[in-house]
Amino acid sequence: MPSGMPVRIAIVGGGALGLLSALNFGSQGVEVVLVERGGVGGEASWAGGGIVSPLYPWRYGPAVTALAQWSQSYYPQLGELLRLDTGIDPQVHSTGLYWLDLEDERDALLWPQGNDCRLQKVAMAEVYSAVPSLGDGFASAIHMPDVANVRNPRLMKALRAALQAMPNVQLHEQCEVKGFIRQDGRVCGVMTSAGEVRAEQVVLAAGAWSGELLASLGLSLPVEPVKGQMILYKCAEDFLPSMVLARGRYAIPRKDGHILIGSTLEHAGFDKTPTEVALASLKASAVELLPALAEAEVVGHWAGLRPGSPEGIPFIGEVPGYPGLWLNCGHYRNGLVLAPASCRLLADLMLGREPIVDPAPYSPAGRLG
């Protein structure tokens, strides 16, 4: 192990950010302890749709775009590595995405000029030919052919299996963090429902709950829960060949014919209860996009809590004034999209490597209260 490399890192949170961080550190021989208050991968990382792109990439600034583009190019490799290592296929499924009747279509069409992507306006006749199940009445479309989606529950299972196979990584599930341990001016561990976990470095990757934990140090992290509800249908495998998005709602096809419809944006605190109002709204959106779903059965309906943050820019870096405490949280609607790049950047910073992108926009310095 190189001189100066941390020998023990505690990670708080077992979602995509925590699991991928653990994988990055574990693969470098670092001793890692991951603590999760429930089961790993059971919160927003499980509940999301898994589109490997921000829903409207042109509406975000360069900080989000830089992480998104790195992750997009890495996801196929990550999926294949996990499939080979664990036998669990995360199904990184490149279908492309059609946006329909966008209000800011002009901005969308200008966006590729400064970014490395293919996005273009297409005739509606071409869209209806490519997606025969699409509903009538849409007037305009743009298309990004390279967008993939990942089957995020399987991604979580694959990451868990990969970590369980690493002798230098420990997973502590059903273990709630109550606070941080400080000694000689440093954060050197966490207090949990099962006792103390001592570490040379602590990574906070607790999603929507990160702000609650930082508040125990008197710090104000502008991350709040934003509820999102989704529904799931089961159709024929060839029913929907591409992702489609219109009027804020999207349809995502899985390889086996499952169709995800999402999602709501609700400020309801930490309440994750699915509601009948949201179910009716999502069903209406589903039928508007894909009329044949009127005859299909909803086989799943759930809610998750996104970690809302200003402009969707995550917090990645060491907390000023609290050496030993690092953040990897606040990814809002793009946790799964940004996770590979965010976790790689965090590892670069903590292990003293050249960072994959400029870390300055994500630094907690000046962004905490």
Side-chain angles (χ1 to χ4, degrees):
M1 186 175 295
S3 175
M5 181 180 291
V7 295
R8 187 174 172 92
I9 294 174
I11 297 174
V12 181
L17 279 303
L19 294 172
L20 267 171
S21 293
L23 189 68
N24 272 284
F25 293 124
S27 65
Q28 296 299 307
V30 179
E31 185 183 357
V32 178
V33 177
L34 185 147
V35 182
E36 163 58 43
R37 66 175 198 146
V40 300
E43 294 289 350
S45 300
W46 178 91
I51 301 176
V52 185
S53 170
L55 287 184
Y56 305 96
W58 52 90
R59 297 179 187 175
Y60 288 92
V64 171
T65 299
L67 295 177
Q69 292 189 336
W70 193 95
S71 292
Q72 285 164 335
S73 64
Y74 182 68
Y75 249 113
Q77 178 183 342
L78 174 63
E80 184 63 7
L81 285 171
L82 288 170
R83 185 188 69 81
L84 292 174
D85 285 349
T86 69
I88 301 169
D89 185 1
Q91 293 186 1
V92 180
H93 185 27
S94 184
T95 64
L97 172 58
Y98 290 97
W99 286 268
L100 307 172
D101 292 355
L102 277 170
E103 293 181 358
D104 57 350
E105 182 180 280
R106 184 173 179 275
D107 292 338
L109 292 171
L110 289 172
W111 183 74
Q113 294 178 11
N115 297 282
D116 183 21
C117 77
R118 292 193 294 157
L119 186 154
Q120 61 190 18
K121 188 172 178 63
V122 291
M124 281 309 303
E126 181 181 327
V127 183
Y128 281 111
S129 176
V131 189
S133 53
L134 184 65
D136 294 331
F138 294 106
S140 65
I142 64 172
H143 184 222
M144 191 184 293
D146 302 323
V147 181
N149 67 77
V150 61
R151 197 157 182 173
N152 38 306
R154 295 193 179 193
L155 175 64
M156 298 303 103
K157 289 179 181 178
L159 288 169
R160 185 179 190 272
L163 293 173
Q164 286 182 314
M166 290 184 167
N168 55 318
V169 176
Q170 299 177 48
L171 299 181
H172 295 310
E173 299 177 90
Q174 313 303 325
C175 184
E176 185 173 0
V177 170
K178 305 290 189 178
F180 300 95
I181 301 170
R182 298 180 71 190
Q183 186 174 329
D184 299 328
R186 292 185 58 84
V187 173
C188 56
V190 290
M191 296 171 288
T192 80
S193 54
E196 292 187 351
V197 175
R198 294 275 177 166
E200 294 189 2
Q201 309 276 359
V202 175
V203 174
L204 180 57
W209 289 266
S210 298
E212 301 282 298
L213 287 167
L214 268 195
S216 69
L217 294 174
L219 295 171
S220 177
L221 176 73
V223 171
E224 61 178 0
V226 182
K227 183 177 178 179
Q229 299 188 51
M230 302 187 68
I231 57 176
L232 181 70
Y233 294 90
K234 180 67 169 71
C235 302
E237 291 183 17
D238 60 353
F239 172 70
L240 183 62
S242 174
M243 294 181 283
V244 291
L245 191 159
R247 292 158 202 161
R249 296 283 168 83
Y250 51 76
I252 305 171
R254 301 303 198 204
K255 286 186 174 181
D256 62 1
H258 279 99
I259 307 295
L260 283 162
I261 304 292
S263 65
T264 64
L265 278 173
E266 307 166 57
H267 293 270
F270 288 94
D271 177 16
K272 293 191 300 177
T273 309
T275 65
E276 290 299 318
V277 170
L279 178 60
S281 175
L282 289 165
K283 280 183 172 180
S285 294
V287 173
E288 182 180 30
L289 278 170
L290 305 163
L293 293 181
E295 307 301 320
E297 178 188 0
V298 175
V299 296
H301 174 207
W302 62 87
L305 299 176
R306 311 173 185 89
S309 60
E311 300 178 47
I313 299 174
F315 295 81
I316 307 169
E318 195 167 22
V319 178
Y322 293 83
L325 178 59
W326 297 74
L327 302 183
N328 192 7
C329 55
H331 293 70
Y332 196 17
R333 303 190 76 173
N334 297 311
L336 285 160
V337 184
L338 307 182
S342 296
C343 297
R344 173 63 180 271
L345 174 60
L346 179 74
D348 289 344
L349 295 173
M350 292 181 69
L351 301 180
R353 303 184 306 213
E354 181 72 21
I356 54 166
V357 297
D358 178 9
Y362 321 103
S363 172
R367 301 176 67 202
L368 305 180

